[in-house]
Amino acid sequence: MKNIIVIGGGPAGYPAALKAASLGAQVTLIEKNKLGGVCLNCGCIPSKSLLDAAHRFQTARGLVGLCQEGAQEAADRLFSLRDWNKIRARQQAASRKLVQGIGFLLKKAGVTVLEGEGSFVDETHVRVKTAEKEEVLSCDGVIIATGSEAFFPPPFDVLKGQIYDNSTIFNMEQLPESLAIIGGGVIGCEMADLMSALGVAVSVVEMQPRILPTEDETAARTLFQALSKRGVTFYTGVSAAKAEKTADGFKLTLSDGKEITAQAVLAAIGRSVNLSSLQLENIGVTYTRKGVQVNPKTLQLKNNIYAAGDVTGLLLLAHAATRQGEVAASNLCGFEMQYHNEQIPRAVYTSPEIAAVGLTRAQAQAQGLNVRAQKSFFLANGRAVAQEQTEGYVELISEESTGRLVGATLVGANAAELIHVMAVALNAQLTVSQLKEVVFAHPTFAESIAEAANR
Ligand SMILES: Cc1cc2nc3c(=O)[nH]c(=O)nc-3n(C[C@H](O)[C@H](O)[C@H](O)COP(=O)(O)OP(=O)(O)OC[C@H]3O[C@@H](n4cnc5c(N)ncnc54)[C@H](O)[C@@H]3O)c2cc1C
């Protein structure tokens, strides 16, 4: 039986431990903070719980307005800035419940969980520092799953602790009247949506020419327009060159000389891996802020050392981390398994939602593929019209010569759920003609996928 150590109990580490245990290994998982990592404690789950509350408030407001003209003002009084702590309490309860669930699963699988910090002595020995003692454990192999934390480069480093980052924002006890968000990536956009829906005056600074630079341009423009309409002010193509504390908040000076003032600032400018405490020099491994270099298919780092999750820098998403953890554990236990980064779906949980899998049209063209794009709009979808949720579309990208699907982007209601139809299609290497054979229930948003295939 193999004796395996997993360092880190987030979405990469705990599934790796469960997988290795299911394959017959004796597993020890070392976690220095809380099981569930960033995802459950200060990432995916907190942000989605709070966004759901904010979106439901907007829906309720719309319904009240439908029944009684002018009643939105009364609805606004229903949600005051004080209610922030109530929706936070719901979010904290959800996180607690899910973290407990992981503890239960690990116990049931016979995984030994140590609360402490792990570091390498050599390739087969790991030092564990707990509150009570320090010990060295020997093992046959290690999976590194220590994740990432908010990146704080200059000039924002001097304000660390005073301005929020994409973890500490969830500890905010009172909503500010105004918030300046530095970074228009996924987290920046989700936070802009959340805060503006709750009545905070939001501005977003993005140094790239557009928000969501890694997603489809039209999808990003749709979100830009929706958030702008709801009062979010965007500054794109400029960077925040200077950040200062003022008497009643903060002042940001942008690279074009403009100044923004806000009561609070959120720096959402990326992540940096948690590898400094691991003493990787003891196993001859180097790394950058973006991670260690693994074999992208097997997740092997060297010999019996594997890595999974944000530390690999392959795709900073929880479900990517989980699959990587399972692949790493499987390979370490001698059962060959491969990871496919290109098949991982991506979602932005804003209103409208954006979700994608595989290549965008621009990415396919950049790879030299001759592709066809087929699009259908929610404006022509029965359910979307019935529910007044007509903002959005489906775009399918396929190879011109074979019709094989290579990517899809969905924008609008339920996009983060609907994208899995396309994830299955891509995984099964379906062509557009094969997708056309599937019958979709009516009326559903999913019918727009069939509609796009028939274009
Ligand atoms: C605000 C926000 C929202 C997000 N929303 C989404 C989303 O909606 N969907 C999505 O897919 N992804 C989302 N993400 C990204 C997702 O949270 C991460 O990709 C995921 O948590 C990575 O998992 P991981 O296991 O690699 O690392 P982590 O979750 O960072 O877990 C690593 C764990 O290792 C522990 N650790 C570190 N060093 C040591 C050590 N030396 N010894 C012992 N333990 C150690 C840490 O305490 C931590 O618990 C979001 C991230 C943020 C910040």
Side-chain angles (χ1 to χ4, degrees), residues 213-350:
T214 54
E215 289 305 340
D216 178 72
E217 193 169 351
T218 312
R221 197 178 326 120
T222 308
L223 180 62
F224 178 91
Q225 284 164 350
L227 291 179
S228 301
K229 216 162 125 188
R230 295 216 305 272
V232 176
T233 310
F234 287 97
Y235 300 87
T236 50
V238 284
S239 57
K242 199 169 158 199
E244 293 161 88
K245 179 93 189 78
T246 61
D248 50 0
F250 296 89
K251 184 170 87 179
L252 297 181
T253 310
L254 308 187
S255 50
D256 63 359
K258 277 202 192 90
E259 289 180 349
I260 304 176
T261 55
Q263 210 181 348
V265 174
L266 164 65
I269 30 188
R271 312 280 302 166
S272 123
V273 288
N274 289 326
L275 290 169
S276 59
S277 62
L278 281 182
Q279 295 190 285
L280 289 178
E281 61 280 10
N282 291 346
I283 56 165
V285 167
T286 55
Y287 65 95
T288 67
R289 169 175 88 81
K290 303 253 171 169
V292 285
Q293 202 165 358
V294 288
N295 176 320
K297 292 284 174 211
T298 63
L299 284 323
Q300 187 183 33
L301 187 54
K302 66 182 294 197
N303 304 326
N304 271 352
I305 313 282
Y306 286 70
D310 284 3
V311 288
T312 67
L314 289 169
L315 195 57
L316 275 65
L317 289 174
H319 45 289
T322 295
R323 178 48 63 98
Q324 289 175 28
E326 290 164 352
V327 170
S330 212
N331 288 327
L332 181 52
C333 291
F335 296 85
E336 274 180 34
M337 195 175 168
Q338 287 212 338
Y339 173 71
H340 301 281
N341 210 38
E342 68 287 357
Q343 288 178 359
I344 308 286
R346 320 176 286 278
V348 188
Y349 297 79
T350 42

Side-chain angles (χ1 to χ4, degrees), residues 21-329:
S22 77
L23 294 174
Q26 187 185 323
V27 187
T28 302
L29 186 148
I30 307 167
E31 169 54 59
K32 70 175 179 184
N33 197 354
K34 285 188 190 160
L35 287 172
V38 168
C39 171
L40 261 54
N41 298 292
C42 53
C44 325
I45 297 300
S47 57
K48 266 77 260 181
S49 175
L50 296 170
L51 275 164
D52 171 67
H55 292 158
R56 283 201 213 192
F57 167 67
Q58 281 186 326
T59 306
R61 193 176 185 274
L63 272 180
V64 169
L66 181 74
C67 301
Q68 199 184 335
E69 210 178 312
Q72 272 109 338
E73 281 175 21
D76 285 343
R77 283 197 295 277
L78 274 179
F79 183 88
S80 71
L81 293 185
R82 288 189 305 277
D83 295 330
W84 167 245
N85 283 323
K86 290 189 192 136
I87 64 171
R88 264 184 79 221
R90 182 183 85 138
Q91 170 261 298
Q92 286 159 345
S95 293
R96 255 196 320 272
K97 200 167 171 182
L98 293 165
V99 170
Q100 277 167 5
I102 293 172
F104 172 76
L105 287 177
L106 290 167
K107 194 170 172 195
K108 198 166 148 226
V111 174
T112 304
V113 178
L114 298 180
E115 274 179 47
E117 184 172 89
S119 61
F120 282 94
V121 175
D122 58 36
E123 286 186 26
T124 52
H125 293 90
V126 171
R127 179 176 290 107
V128 192
K129 257 192 233 168
T130 64
E132 299 84 36
K133 59 177 180 179
E134 190 173 317
E135 60 179 327
V136 173
L137 307 177
S138 63
C139 62
D140 301 312
V142 182
I143 298 174
I144 302 170
T146 47
S148 66
E149 60 183 13
F151 180 47
F152 253 102
F156 315 110
D157 50 344
V158 289
L159 292 177
K160 197 170 176 177
Q162 296 182 67
I163 63 178
Y164 293 107
D165 63 40
N166 41 31
S167 294
T168 58
I169 188 91
F170 302 113
N171 301 333
M172 184 188 259
E173 289 191 345
Q174 212 180 349
L175 283 179
E177 278 171 20
S178 54
L179 176 70
I181 301 177
I182 308 165
V186 176
I187 295 172
C189 286
E190 287 186 354
M191 290 300 133
D193 186 23
L194 169 68
M195 292 293 160
S196 62
L198 297 179
V200 177
V202 176
S203 44
V204 177
V205 184
E206 168 55 55
M207 65 191 273
Q208 298 290 329
R210 64 177 176 92
I211 59 167
L212 298 180
T214 54
E215 289 305 340
D216 178 72
E217 193 169 351
T218 312
R221 197 178 326 120
T222 308
L223 180 62
F224 178 91
Q225 284 164 350
L227 291 179
S228 301
K229 216 162 125 188
R230 295 216 305 272
V232 176
T233 310
F234 287 97
Y235 300 87
T236 50
V238 284
S239 57
K242 199 169 158 199
E244 293 161 88
K245 179 93 189 78
T246 61
D248 50 0
F250 296 89
K251 184 170 87 179
L252 297 181
T253 310
L254 308 187
S255 50
D256 63 359
K258 277 202 192 90
E259 289 180 349
I260 304 176
T261 55
Q263 210 181 348
V265 174
L266 164 65
I269 30 188
R271 312 280 302 166
S272 123
V273 288
N274 289 326
L275 290 169
S276 59
S277 62
L278 281 182
Q279 295 190 285
L280 289 178
E281 61 280 10
N282 291 346
I283 56 165
V285 167
T286 55
Y287 65 95
T288 67
R289 169 175 88 81
K290 303 253 171 169
V292 285
Q293 202 165 358
V294 288
N295 176 320
K297 292 284 174 211
T298 63
L299 284 323
Q300 187 183 33
L301 187 54
K302 66 182 294 197
N303 304 326
N304 271 352
I305 313 282
Y306 286 70
D310 284 3
V311 288
T312 67
L314 289 169
L315 195 57
L316 275 65
L317 289 174
H319 45 289
T322 295
R323 178 48 63 98
Q324 289 175 28
E326 290 164 352
V327 170

